[in-house]
């Protein structure tokens, strides 16, 4: 993914040494004046800086599965998408399509269009098609309990992507496996980035969608980690449903700027798309693209997020889901289900992308995943 080059010393690494002396503000923005002047978190700052430096490394090798069943021929999948306007959902769908072509299967994508009724109708259509397997793409299966039961009665295995909080098999709802990065790790490294980047003094806004249990849980974990550093104040939580983000985010950003002005130095969003919609309002307010506020997305790492980061335009970092790799993993997990094998148990490592380590790329995936899955399927 990244060209071989001399490793860039990250801002987070530089801040580790600053932690020894205490929690002064970083050099990239004014301190949050809502926090007491003496507030600090030397131990947390040191820990956060070291964690971010590790997560920004680009030298990790493939640590996923290298063995498994050979390709089971002639299978069909239906990918039920929460909404294809969600870049993460769409990116995984593309990965599923690519992997299915490689293994020799057929895939159909049905868009739930972001509403409960639309998702239920899409899932019902998927069950009616009687595919070999159904992907739950980015929505809570409790929204579709009747359709889940129908799939079970028809012996159609389900694989989730961001369907429940944790990776791995699930009994309730019944999923052969759920694919996601570890939400605890993603939330923690996102908060650690704010702590490290700010030198332990920030005024932070959190963008989330509490209608999605996975996102609500991630947001709560981010809040908890930020609270470990008294100098990092959570100014506000903006609860904006993802399907409404393009309409509501610009208005919310304008309101936040009016309320907090220069106290707002950093932002965390459960999905990068909020910053695409925030950019026009920040630009209209005369805010520089390089920040403040300095913005990090705790998922999903879609191409537009990389473009904003690489151009230094209203997004500084992302903790990307390896969307293509996860699409390939979905196909591999189904192949294991069809072959009577257990789920692989693989969870992609947490990674932080910045302009300094992206290499100009527009996505991130663990290196070597395609070759690894192809070797497995060849048997």
């Amino acid at each position: 993914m990244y060209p071989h080059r001399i490793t860039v010393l990250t801002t987070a690494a530089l801040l580790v040494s600053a932690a020894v002396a205490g929690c002064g503000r970083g050099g990239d923005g004014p301190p949050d004046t809502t926090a007491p002047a003496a507030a600090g978190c030397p131990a947390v700052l040191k820990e956060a800086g070291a964690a971010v430096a590790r997560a920004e490394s680009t030298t990790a090798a493939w640590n996923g599965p290298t063995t498994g069943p050979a390709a089971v021929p002639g299978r069909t999948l239906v990918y039920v998408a929460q909404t294809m306007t969600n870049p993460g959902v769409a990116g995984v769908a593309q990965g599923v399509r690519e992997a299915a072509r490689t293994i020799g299967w057929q895939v159909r994508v049905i868009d739930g269009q972001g509403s409960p009724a639309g998702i239920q109708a899409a899932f019902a259509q998927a069950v009616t098609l009687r595919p070999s397997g159904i992907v739950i793409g980015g929505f809570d299966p409790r929204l579709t309990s009747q359709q889940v039961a129908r799939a079970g009665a028809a012996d159609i295995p389900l694989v989730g992507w961001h369907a429940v909080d944790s990776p791995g098999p699930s009994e309730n709802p019944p999923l052969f496996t759920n694919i996601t990065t570890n939400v605890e790790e993603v939330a923690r490294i996102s908060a650690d980035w704010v702590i490290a980047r700010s030198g332990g003094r920030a005024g932070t806004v959190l963008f989330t969608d509490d209608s999605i249990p996975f996102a609500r849980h991630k947001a709560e974990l981010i809040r908890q980690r930020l609270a470990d550093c008294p100098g990092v104040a959570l100014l506000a939580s903006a609860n904006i449903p993802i399907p409404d983000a393009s309409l509501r985010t610009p208005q919310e950003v304008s309101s936040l700027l009016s309320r907090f002005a220069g106290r707002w130095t950093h932002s965390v969003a459960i999905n990068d798309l909020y910053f695409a919609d925030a950019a026009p309002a920040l630009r209209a307010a005369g805010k520089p693209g390089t920040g403040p506020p300095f913005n990090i997305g705790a998922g999903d790492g879609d191409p537009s997020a990389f473009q904003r980061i690489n151009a230094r335009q209203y997004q500084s970092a992302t903790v990307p889901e390896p969307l293509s790799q996860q699409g390939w993993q979905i196909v591999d997990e189904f192949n294991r289900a069809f072959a009577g094998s257990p789920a692989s148990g693989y969870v992609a490592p947490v990674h932080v992308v910045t302009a300094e380590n992206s290499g100009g790329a527009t996505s991130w995936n663990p290196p070597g995943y395609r070759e690894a899955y192809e070797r497995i399927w060849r048997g």
Side-chain angles (χ1 to χ4, degrees), residues 208-242:
T208 186
D209 180 353
D210 285 346
S211 70
I212 302 173
F214 181 88
R216 184 171 62 248
H217 180 52
K218 184 191 294 185
E220 181 55 33
L221 292 169
I222 292 169
R223 291 187 192 97
Q224 291 173 9
R225 179 55 173 169
L226 291 175
D228 287 343
C229 186
V232 176
L234 182 61
L235 302 177
S237 289
N239 176 26
I240 302 173
I242 285 175

Side-chain angles (χ1 to χ4, degrees), residues 77-371:
L77 302 178
V78 174
Y79 184 101
V80 180
Q82 182 252 352
T83 171
M84 290 295 282
T85 62
N86 181 327
V89 172
V92 173
Q94 181 59 31
V96 170
R97 289 188 181 107
E98 293 171 355
R101 285 196 296 268
T102 299
I103 203 172
W105 296 352
Q106 298 295 314
V107 176
R108 178 169 177 177
V109 176
I110 304 178
D111 190 348
Q113 300 181 346
S115 70
I119 293 168
Q120 290 166 4
F123 205 148
Q125 183 182 356
V127 176
T128 301
L129 292 171
R130 299 298 295 267
S132 307
I134 295 175
V135 184
I136 296 177
F139 60 90
D140 183 354
R142 289 175 294 185
L143 293 172
T144 56
S145 57
Q146 293 182 355
Q147 290 79 15
V148 167
R150 286 178 54 199
D155 293 323
I156 302 172
L158 306 176
V159 169
W161 180 80
H162 285 206
V164 294
D165 290 344
S166 301
S170 170
E171 293 184 0
N172 185 23
L175 303 176
F176 178 74
T177 195
N178 180 59
I179 296 172
T180 177
T181 48
N182 187 300
V183 66
E184 288 81 9
E185 293 181 2
V186 172
R188 186 181 182 92
I189 201 67
S190 303
D192 279 351
W193 184 89
V194 171
I195 294 168
R197 170 106 191 197
S198 68
R201 295 192 57 76
T204 308
V205 170
L206 175 61
F207 293 90
T208 186
D209 180 353
D210 285 346
S211 70
I212 302 173
F214 181 88
R216 184 171 62 248
H217 180 52
K218 184 191 294 185
E220 181 55 33
L221 292 169
I222 292 169
R223 291 187 192 97
Q224 291 173 9
R225 179 55 173 169
L226 291 175
D228 287 343
C229 186
V232 176
L234 182 61
L235 302 177
S237 289
N239 176 26
I240 302 173
I242 285 175
D244 300 336
S246 61
L247 176 65
R248 291 180 51 183
T249 302
Q251 298 173 351
E252 182 67 20
V253 168
S254 296
S255 175
L256 290 165
L257 287 170
S258 177
R259 289 167 60 194
F260 300 115
R263 290 183 293 157
W264 178 12
T265 64
H266 293 75
S267 311
V268 187
I270 57 92
N271 190 298
D272 292 301
L273 64 82
Y274 289 103
F275 298 131
D277 299 317
L282 292 170
R283 187 179 294 110
K287 294 292 183 179
T290 52
F294 303 98
N295 301 320
I296 182 169
D300 288 313
D302 66 280
S304 67
F306 277 75
Q307 290 164 4
R308 288 190 296 276
I309 291 166
N310 292 335
R312 294 176 168 83
Q313 288 296 302
Y314 302 103
Q315 187 166 351
S316 301
T318 185
V319 185
E321 295 280 346
L323 301 177
S324 180
Q325 178 272 317
Q326 289 176 334
W328 282 63
Q329 184 179 351
I330 286 171
V331 171
D332 183 65
E333 301 292 0
F334 272 120
N335 192 58
R336 291 168 191 268
F338 301 150
S341 298
S344 73
Y346 177 64
V347 180
V350 70
H351 182 63
V352 173
V353 170
T354 66
E356 288 74 24
N357 72 358
S358 73
T362 56
S363 64
W364 176 80
N365 291 283
Y369 74 94
R370 292 172 184 259
E371 295 82 1

